[in-house]
Amino acid sequence: MSEQSQTQNEIDAHLSKQKSRRKLWIIGASVAVVAVAAAITIPIVVQNATATAAGTGDELIPLTIADTAQSDFQDAIVEVGRENGLDLTFVNFDDPYLPNTALLEGEVDGNSFQHVAWLSQFNKENEADITPVFSTVISSWGLFAEDLESADDLPQGARVAVPDDPANFSRALFILQTAGVIEIDEDAGVFPTEEDITSNPLGIELVRLAHESVQTGYSDPTIQAVVIATDDFDPALEITSDDALVLEDSAATTPSPYVIVVATTADRADDPAWELLEKTYRDDRVVSALEEEKRGEATIVELPVDDLRNALDELTAQ
């Protein structure tokens, strides 16, 4: 069996298994499940609007969006989307690689979970044609440590947890360079690897973890620091950007590589439904829901779609 067929069977099996868990949300209901993607199992939660606009009888345009965590933010999108003529369904995968696979297999119409750098790596590795249709948010990233006051306090041989996927690993390297901990070859481009580190005076050991697991290193006594998005932390920890030893230098590179986008396949990119979905994401009620859920650690970004696609092309070519 091919790898693609195996993945398709895996998605189909779990979709079938989870049918009993699918629920129809009437507008106003809320679901409070805050989860970070955890690879291994693939539970899927489906959330959708009713079939017609309230009081109008007009048929809504069905649109299924893949994501990686069910949230109250999605509830707001579903509610406002219905007012804008969309019957939205969110399918939430625990494995962050599956939203793109599900899109390519036709299981969903689009997805809303990844930044442009992540998408460029997926397209390159899979010879895929997924493309952004509009930007959503950018998250605040930084270097965090439970027991240190500044990056200067990192000890010799400190172990620093970083995401293991290529795009976010490179992002972590740039943050460590901003912290003055390492230096990176200036010719390395947007995706430096460990081999591009030209100076590491403290002998920092990079501990590669799955993106969703990096936060666990924060309280691990064997790890001295972590590089992570602030909104990836468990909200119960009440960690904010103010707690970072160093924040990402937003002036170092264009923000395009790290802007989260709604994406679809190239043949669906001109579907009028995306304009309605973008209108929904820009609604003040949706923006407020995002700010509340992300604790102000993610910022709405409106970049021209041509800029996003140009950035994607440039990154994919590297």
Side-chain angles (χ1 to χ4, degrees):
M1 180 183 297
S2 69
E3 181 179 352
Q4 184 180 48
S5 298
Q6 183 176 358
T7 302
Q8 176 62 44
N9 290 340
E10 185 178 18
I11 293 171
D12 290 343
H14 282 277
L15 282 170
S16 176
K17 181 178 179 182
Q18 294 299 323
K19 280 183 180 178
S20 62
R21 296 174 57 191
R22 295 189 179 187
K23 295 182 179 180
L24 193 63
W25 270 265
I26 303 302
I27 301 310
S30 69
V31 180
V33 179
V34 179
V36 185
I40 297 178
T41 58
I42 314 169
I44 300 169
V45 183
V46 177
Q47 175 183 4
N48 71 309
T50 53
T52 58
T56 68
D58 295 337
E59 290 296 324
L60 300 177
I61 300 172
L63 202 63
T64 303
I65 305 297
D67 205 336
T68 55
Q70 187 176 328
S71 65
D72 291 339
F73 175 43
Q74 290 175 357
D75 290 339
I77 296 170
V78 168
E79 179 176 353
V80 176
R82 197 163 79 98
E83 294 177 8
N84 290 331
L86 296 174
D87 176 17
L88 284 167
T89 301
F90 280 92
V91 181
N92 296 299
F93 294 95
D94 276 357
D95 183 334
Y97 288 92
L98 284 180
N100 278 332
T101 303
L103 175 57
L104 293 177
E105 294 297 331
E107 297 288 343
V108 298
D109 300 306
N111 58 46
S112 179
F113 78 102
Q114 65 194 324
H115 52 57
V116 177
W118 175 288
L119 176 55
S120 72
Q121 294 298 290
F122 181 89
N123 277 351
K124 182 187 299 185
E125 293 171 3
N126 296 276
E127 298 183 354
D129 64 348
I130 299 174
T131 188
V133 288
F134 62 88
S135 60
T136 59
V137 304
I138 188 168
S139 295
S140 173
W141 277 59
L143 175 66
F144 295 85
E146 187 173 34
D147 301 318
L148 303 178
E149 294 297 325
S150 78
D152 293 337
D153 296 329
L154 282 167
Q156 193 74 29
R159 304 178 76 238
V160 178
V162 297
D164 67 352
D165 64 276
N168 286 316
F169 178 78
S170 297
R171 189 177 191 177
L173 292 185
F174 283 124
I175 292 172
L176 289 172
Q177 177 169 256
T178 297
V181 175
I182 62 172
E183 292 181 9
I184 302 169
D185 188 335
E186 61 182 15
D187 295 325
V190 179
F191 297 115
T193 65
E194 200 158 357
E195 288 70 29
D196 294 311
I197 297 174
T198 58
S199 177
N200 182 6
L202 291 177
I204 296 296
E205 178 185 349
L206 299 175
V207 181
R208 298 171 183 251
L209 299 175
H211 186 164
E212 64 274 10
S213 300
V214 174
Q215 64 165 325
T216 64
Y218 183 74
S219 56
D220 185 334
T222 70
I223 292 176
Q224 283 68 55
V226 301
V227 180
I228 191 175
T230 310
D231 60 337
D232 278 344
F233 282 112
D234 184 336
L237 296 176
E238 298 184 345
I239 295 172
T240 71
S241 295
D242 292 338
D243 298 309
L245 305 184
V246 174
L247 284 175
E248 184 172 51
D249 181 3
S250 59
T253 60
T254 171
S256 298
Y258 304 127
V259 171
I260 305 297
V261 296
V262 170
T264 190
T265 51
D267 62 327
R268 294 284 306 275
D270 295 327
D271 192 320
W274 302 123
E275 293 182 12
L276 299 176
L277 186 61
E278 181 173 9
K279 178 182 178 182
T280 299
Y281 269 78
R282 305 295 183 234
D283 188 279
D284 288 343
R285 290 165 292 177
V286 173
V287 173
S288 295
L290 170 72
E291 291 176 346
E292 180 177 355
E293 180 168 305
K294 297 297 186 179
R295 311 183 306 283
E297 299 296 344
T299 304
I300 295 290
V301 177
E302 297 186 39
L303 292 178
V305 68
D306 287 344
D307 288 359
L308 297 171
R309 290 172 181 169
N310 288 339
L312 176 64
D313 290 343
E314 291 173 6
L315 294 172
T316 304
Q318 290 189 20

